[in-house]
Amino acid sequence: MSTQPSKKLETFANPQPGRDYTIRMRVPEFTCLCPKTGQPDFAEMRLEYVADKTCVELKSLKLYIWSFRDEGHFHEDVTNRILDDLVRATKPRFMRLTAEFGVRGGIYTTVIAEHRKKGWKSPAKVELA
Protein backbone atom coordinates (compact mmCIF):
# COMPACT_ATOMS: atom_id res chain seq x y z
CA MET A 1 0.00 0.00 0.00
CA SER A 2 1.27 3.46 -0.92
CA THR A 3 1.91 6.28 1.53
CA GLN A 4 0.72 8.94 -0.94
CA PRO A 5 -2.64 10.67 -0.42
CA SER A 6 -5.37 8.76 -2.23
CA LYS A 7 -9.14 8.80 -2.74
CA LYS A 8 -9.20 4.96 -2.56
CA LEU A 9 -10.76 3.52 0.57
CA GLU A 10 -9.87 -0.08 1.36
CA THR A 11 -11.96 -2.41 3.51
CA PHE A 12 -11.66 -5.74 5.29
CA ALA A 13 -14.24 -8.31 6.33
CA ASN A 14 -16.18 -7.49 9.50
CA PRO A 15 -14.91 -10.04 12.06
CA GLN A 16 -18.31 -10.09 13.85
CA PRO A 17 -21.00 -9.51 11.18
CA GLY A 18 -23.74 -11.11 13.31
CA ARG A 19 -23.49 -8.45 16.02
CA ASP A 20 -24.30 -4.73 16.06
CA TYR A 21 -21.29 -3.03 17.64
CA THR A 22 -20.03 0.53 17.33
CA ILE A 23 -16.69 1.47 15.82
CA ARG A 24 -15.49 4.97 16.72
CA MET A 25 -12.58 6.81 15.13
CA ARG A 26 -11.24 10.27 15.83
CA VAL A 27 -9.36 12.17 13.12
CA PRO A 28 -7.90 15.27 14.82
CA GLU A 29 -5.89 16.61 11.87
CA PHE A 30 -8.26 17.04 8.92
CA THR A 31 -7.29 19.93 6.66
CA CYS A 32 -8.60 21.39 3.44
CA LEU A 33 -8.63 24.85 1.89
CA CYS A 34 -11.30 27.52 2.01
CA PRO A 35 -12.73 27.65 -1.54
CA LYS A 36 -13.13 31.45 -1.30
CA THR A 37 -9.79 32.55 0.18
CA GLY A 38 -7.49 29.55 -0.27
CA GLN A 39 -6.61 29.70 3.42
CA PRO A 40 -6.33 26.41 5.32
CA ASP A 41 -9.28 25.03 7.26
CA PHE A 42 -8.74 22.64 10.16
CA ALA A 43 -11.21 20.18 11.64
CA GLU A 44 -11.49 17.27 14.00
CA MET A 45 -13.62 14.53 12.49
CA ARG A 46 -15.31 11.83 14.50
CA LEU A 47 -16.57 8.76 12.69
CA GLU A 48 -19.00 6.33 14.33
CA TYR A 49 -20.44 3.35 12.54
CA VAL A 50 -22.06 -0.04 12.84
CA ALA A 51 -20.43 -2.22 10.21
CA ASP A 52 -22.37 -4.72 8.13
CA LYS A 53 -20.08 -6.96 6.05
CA THR A 54 -16.97 -4.72 5.86
CA CYS A 55 -14.95 -2.24 7.92
CA VAL A 56 -12.76 0.60 6.68
CA GLU A 57 -9.01 -0.07 6.81
CA LEU A 58 -7.22 2.59 8.89
CA LYS A 59 -4.20 3.35 6.70
CA SER A 60 -6.37 3.84 3.63
CA LEU A 61 -8.63 6.14 5.70
CA LYS A 62 -5.59 8.19 6.73
CA LEU A 63 -4.41 8.52 3.12
CA TYR A 64 -7.95 9.37 2.01
CA ILE A 65 -8.22 12.13 4.64
CA TRP A 66 -4.82 13.51 3.56
CA SER A 67 -6.06 13.77 -0.02
CA PHE A 68 -8.18 16.83 0.87
CA ARG A 69 -5.27 19.00 2.10
CA ASP A 70 -4.76 20.91 -1.14
CA GLU A 71 -8.40 21.03 -2.24
CA GLY A 72 -10.94 23.80 -1.68
CA HIS A 73 -14.17 22.67 0.02
CA PHE A 74 -17.07 24.19 1.91
CA HIS A 75 -17.46 22.54 5.33
CA GLU A 76 -20.93 21.22 4.58
CA ASP A 77 -19.93 19.72 1.24
CA VAL A 78 -16.72 18.02 2.33
CA THR A 79 -18.38 16.42 5.38
CA ASN A 80 -21.19 14.96 3.27
CA ARG A 81 -18.77 13.91 0.51
CA ILE A 82 -16.58 12.01 2.97
CA LEU A 83 -19.63 10.30 4.48
CA ASP A 84 -20.89 9.34 1.00
CA ASP A 85 -17.50 7.88 0.05
CA LEU A 86 -17.26 5.89 3.30
CA VAL A 87 -20.81 4.58 2.90
CA ARG A 88 -20.12 3.58 -0.70
CA ALA A 89 -16.95 1.72 0.36
CA THR A 90 -18.27 -0.04 3.47
CA LYS A 91 -22.09 -0.22 3.09
CA PRO A 92 -22.60 0.05 6.88
CA ARG A 93 -25.76 -0.49 8.86
CA PHE A 94 -25.30 2.99 10.34
CA MET A 95 -22.69 5.72 9.98
CA ARG A 96 -22.32 9.20 11.46
CA LEU A 97 -19.59 11.70 10.63
CA THR A 98 -19.18 14.75 12.85
CA ALA A 99 -16.81 17.46 11.62
CA GLU A 100 -15.87 20.24 14.05
CA PHE A 101 -14.10 22.97 12.09
CA GLY A 102 -11.83 25.55 13.68
CA VAL A 103 -12.76 29.19 13.75
CA ARG A 104 -13.20 31.01 10.44
CA GLY A 105 -14.20 34.68 10.61
CA GLY A 106 -15.04 34.33 14.30
CA ILE A 107 -17.42 31.41 13.66
CA TYR A 108 -16.98 27.74 14.54
CA THR A 109 -18.85 25.27 12.33
CA THR A 110 -19.93 21.73 13.22
CA VAL A 111 -21.45 19.55 10.51
CA ILE A 112 -23.08 16.20 11.35
CA ALA A 113 -24.09 13.84 8.54
CA GLU A 114 -25.67 10.40 8.96
CA HIS A 115 -26.55 7.30 6.96
CA ARG A 116 -28.89 4.46 7.95
CA LYS A 117 -29.21 1.26 5.95
CA LYS A 118 -32.80 0.78 4.84
CA GLY A 119 -34.62 -1.36 7.41
CA TRP A 120 -31.89 -1.13 10.08
CA LYS A 121 -33.09 -0.15 13.53
CA SER A 122 -30.81 0.91 16.33
CA PRO A 123 -30.93 -1.38 19.35
CA ALA A 124 -32.28 0.16 22.54
CA LYS A 125 -29.64 1.77 24.75
CA VAL A 126 -28.93 -0.24 27.89
CA GLU A 127 -28.44 1.66 31.15
CA LEU A 128 -26.80 -0.31 33.95
CA ALA A 129 -27.48 0.57 37.58
Side-chain angles (χ1 to χ4, degrees):
M1 183 184 295
S2 170
T3 57
Q4 296 299 309
S6 170
K7 293 288 190 224
K8 182 177 169 127
L9 287 163
E10 296 186 21
T11 62
F12 61 92
N14 179 356
Q16 294 293 325
R19 173 180 292 145
D20 280 346
Y21 64 98
T22 304
I23 300 167
R24 291 190 175 113
M25 298 174 184
R26 192 165 70 76
V27 182
E29 298 178 346
F30 177 82
T31 59
C32 64
L33 301 174
C34 171
K36 294 283 191 178
T37 67
Q39 293 179 322
D41 277 333
F42 302 92
E44 177 174 300
M45 297 204 164
R46 289 187 310 280
L47 178 66
E48 300 173 87
Y49 71 103
V50 177
D52 195 3
K53 295 182 175 134
T54 62
C55 301
V56 68
E57 192 279 324
L58 293 180
K59 185 173 181 184
S60 76
L61 178 61
K62 174 181 72 172
L63 298 175
Y64 172 80
I65 292 296
W66 285 1
S67 75
F68 290 92
R69 286 190 172 170
D70 295 324
E71 298 177 0
H73 293 281
F74 290 105
H75 299 161
E76 300 80 0
D77 179 60
V78 75
T79 304
N80 279 281
R81 177 178 170 181
I82 291 170
L83 178 70
D84 289 345
D85 288 349
L86 285 164
V87 166
R88 193 171 11 265
T90 63
K91 297 173 183 56
R93 296 173 190 163
F94 172 81
M95 187 173 278
R96 175 186 298 129
L97 181 62
T98 302
E100 291 188 357
F101 286 88
V103 67
R104 184 199 286 169
I107 300 171
Y108 291 91
T109 304
T110 300
V111 180
I112 303 168
E114 292 183 347
H115 162 82
R116 281 179 179 77
K117 183 176 180 177
K118 187 175 181 173
W120 181 79
K121 299 217 185 304
S122 175
K125 185 175 180 181
V126 175
E127 293 290 337
L128 300 176

